Amino acid sequence: MKFGLLGRTLGHSYSPRIHGALGNDNYELFEREPGELRDFFNDPDLQGINITIPYKINALEACAVVDPRAERIGCVNTMVRRHGRWHGYNTDYDGFVFTLQHAGIDVKDKKCIILGDGASSKTVHIALEDLGARAIIHVSRHEPPFYDEIDQFRDTAQVIINCTPVGMYPNSPQALIDITNFTVLTGVVDLIYNPRRTVLLLQAEIMDIPYSDGLPFLVAQGVEAAKHFQGESFGSAEIEQILRDMRHEKENIILIGMPGVGKTTMGRALGKALNRKWLDADKELTKETGNISDYITTHGEDAFRREETKILAKLGQQTGLVISTGGGCVTVPQNFTHLRQNGRIYQLTQPVERLSTEGRVLSQGGIDRLRELEAVRTPMYESFAQCIIKHRRNIPETVKRIIEDFEAHLL
């Protein structure tokens, strides 16, 4: 028996990881062209299939029996062969409902905005109806209201759900809309799961609005599909465990702080403790520019910061890393988006008197220069960081404190 995910261009999918965690080791990725679908669906070895774009309508048409909810939505994302016939379901519905519950977002009697008009948006619409949303408005490129007209809802929209791929890796960071002037928002969901925090979600975070990316959606719909595939009563406990494990695996740990505070030493130690790849942004930058101090002396700090931002953009798109940054990365506001999109940011602190200045052109000038830097940069560090750690040059202690905080904030 074979199981798997059907799509046209799948790339790297998390679905085998989810189903493998539930004991299904026969889960494959099936990339097929439209002309191959008939033979694919007729393969007698296939027992269960998940379907992604652009084949959810084709899947509906291939099913002899369609679950009423999937029929109501108008597309199928899960197929199971029973007695030689395909039965179709829509487990994306379950995934979206779980996502709202997991994030603590209540849509009952709320005005909800859906970005996009594809298959996922139809599923979301039906779920919102069933959960008692007061009003549901689709904003899209194809018919009004259009994305550039979104501001008309800034004082009425309470929940926003992005069902488009805009902002998805590798085209991150990008955003369809700006929500920073919305006044009554109580929840934001983006069905994208890579990066973990799109620009839309970063804006929600800054505004202190409950939000969720698409990983809970993906995991929950996968677990619901596995119930059909394997006939087992998986539930929220399995969803939460898989979600926690994947967060632990994917979330970056980012170290920021004053020059000489110990970011490189701590990054190396954390990488070893967590069996993770550690990257030092300054070392990566040196590969591009040569010696950093020489580059700054020759080209100036502004030119250096532009090169640094390019490196941080590349590093920030990756996952599962420990990243040590340069002391001045916080002076460029856009670096926050690059680092936070897939990571939790830790500021390391030490008394100025204990900072190392060796080989650091921007730290030259003695203790007075360092105090000037500290006064300017401390508010910047604090605006970037989710957690501030006093590093007392006790490496095991600092490693322990960072890992404890990291694991406490995975979900």
Side-chain angles (χ1 to χ4, degrees):
M1 293 191 298
K2 294 192 296 188
F3 300 85
L5 174 66
L6 169 66
R8 192 169 189 180
T9 305
L10 297 176
H12 175 70
S13 169
Y14 292 172
S15 292
R17 167 82 170 76
I18 295 168
H19 289 272
L22 297 170
N24 187 345
D25 296 324
N26 296 318
Y27 195 94
E28 306 175 40
L29 299 179
F30 300 109
E31 290 189 349
R32 297 292 187 273
E33 292 298 314
E36 301 175 286
L37 292 183
R38 180 184 295 274
D39 289 342
F40 176 78
F41 288 134
N42 288 334
D43 182 349
D45 291 332
L46 280 174
Q47 181 64 29
I49 318 167
N50 290 129
I51 301 94
T52 188
I53 54 175
Y55 295 139
K56 293 184 180 183
I57 303 300
N58 303 85
L60 176 72
E61 295 169 349
C63 290
V65 180
V66 178
D67 177 78
R69 190 171 69 192
E71 194 164 21
R72 181 176 163 220
I73 293 169
C75 65
V76 158
N77 81 309
T78 299
M79 297 170 64
V80 183
R81 193 190 298 277
R82 296 194 180 99
H83 308 295
R85 300 196 303 168
W86 284 117
H87 291 239
Y89 303 89
N90 190 304
T91 63
D92 283 343
Y93 179 104
D94 305 276
F96 180 66
V97 171
F98 174 84
T99 299
L100 293 176
Q101 295 170 343
H102 182 74
I105 298 173
D106 183 11
V107 299
K108 184 174 175 58
D109 297 323
K110 301 286 179 65
K111 184 172 184 177
C112 301
I113 305 293
I114 298 175
L115 306 180
D117 53 10
S120 295
S121 71
K122 295 173 184 175
T123 302
V124 167
H125 188 114
I126 295 298
L128 291 174
E129 281 185 356
D130 292 350
L131 292 170
R134 173 173 58 85
I136 306 169
I137 298 169
H138 288 257
V139 180
S140 76
R141 299 188 192 280
H142 302 110
E143 57 185 62
F146 301 112
Y147 296 123
D148 59 4
E149 300 171 329
I150 193 72
D151 273 1
Q152 66 182 286
F153 305 112
R154 67 182 183 182
D155 296 322
T156 58
Q158 294 165 286
V159 179
I160 293 178
I161 305 103
N162 179 38
C163 297
T164 80
V166 175
M168 182 186 297
Y169 173 86
N171 299 311
S172 58
Q174 288 184 5
L176 280 168
I177 63 170
D178 182 342
I179 63 170
T180 53
N181 63 348
F182 279 56
T183 61
V184 295
L185 281 176
T186 60
V188 178
V189 175
D190 197 323
L191 297 188
I192 291 170
Y193 56 86
N194 185 12
R196 177 175 180 180
R197 300 171 192 88
T198 59
V199 171
L200 186 69
L201 297 187
L202 287 173
Q203 290 180 345
E205 181 176 73
I206 292 169
M207 297 165 71
D208 199 25
I209 296 168
Y211 69 86
S212 179
D213 67 317
L215 190 59
F217 175 96
L218 180 71
V219 173
Q221 69 79 26
V223 171
E224 186 67 22
K227 290 164 66 174
H228 293 295
F229 293 165
Q230 296 168 238
E232 298 186 41
S233 56
F234 302 123
S236 59
E238 285 80 10
I239 297 172
E240 295 282 356
Q241 186 59 55
I242 295 172
L243 186 56
R244 174 173 286 278
D245 290 345
M246 293 185 72
R247 293 289 198 214
H248 192 282
E249 178 184 325
K250 300 296 181 182
E251 184 88 343
N252 293 329
I253 295 175
I254 316 289
L255 303 180
I256 64 172
M258 285 284 287
V261 76
K263 300 182 295 294
T264 296
T265 301
M266 286 309 309
R268 184 184 294 110
L270 280 164
K272 184 176 181 180
L274 292 168
N275 194 28
R276 281 174 168 238
K277 186 176 182 179
W278 163 64
L279 291 175
D280 186 289
D282 280 352
K283 290 182 178 179
E284 297 302 307
L285 187 53
T286 299
K287 296 175 185 177
E288 302 292 329
T289 66
N291 181 274
I292 289 176
S293 294
D294 291 345
Y295 188 90
I296 293 173
T297 300
T298 303
H299 300 281
E301 185 176 355
D302 288 345
F304 166 71
R305 294 298 170 205
R306 289 192 292 271
E307 294 301 316
E308 181 180 49
T309 293
K310 292 177 185 178
I311 291 296
L312 294 179
K314 293 178 182 178
L315 297 183
Q317 285 189 330
Q318 301 178 53
T319 60
L321 301 176
V322 176
I323 302 173
S324 301
T325 65
C329 74
V330 295
T331 62
V332 179
Q334 73 190 90
N335 288 339
F336 173 78
T337 300
H338 295 314
L339 296 173
R340 179 59 175 152
Q341 64 178 328
N342 280 316
R344 184 165 175 83
I345 304 174
Y346 292 86
Q347 178 195 358
L348 300 182
T349 66
Q350 281 198 53
V352 170
E353 295 78 9
R354 300 180 63 183
L355 298 177
S356 169
T357 61
E358 183 178 354
R360 303 172 193 273
V361 67
L362 296 180
S363 299
Q364 299 304 308
I367 193 70
D368 290 339
R369 171 57 178 158
L370 286 175
R371 287 193 174 117
E372 289 176 10
L373 277 178
E374 183 182 51
V376 171
R377 290 184 180 176
T378 293
M380 299 177 183
Y381 292 133
E382 292 176 350
S383 70
F384 269 51
Q386 286 72 63
C387 182
I388 299 173
I389 300 286
K390 292 182 179 179
H391 177 41
R392 302 179 179 90
R393 299 289 185 190
N394 184 327
I395 295 174
E397 177 191 15
T398 302
V399 166
K400 180 174 181 290
R401 291 170 64 196
I402 290 176
I403 291 176
E404 285 177 349
D405 176 87
F406 181 71
E407 293 182 344
H409 291 88
L410 289 172
L411 297 178

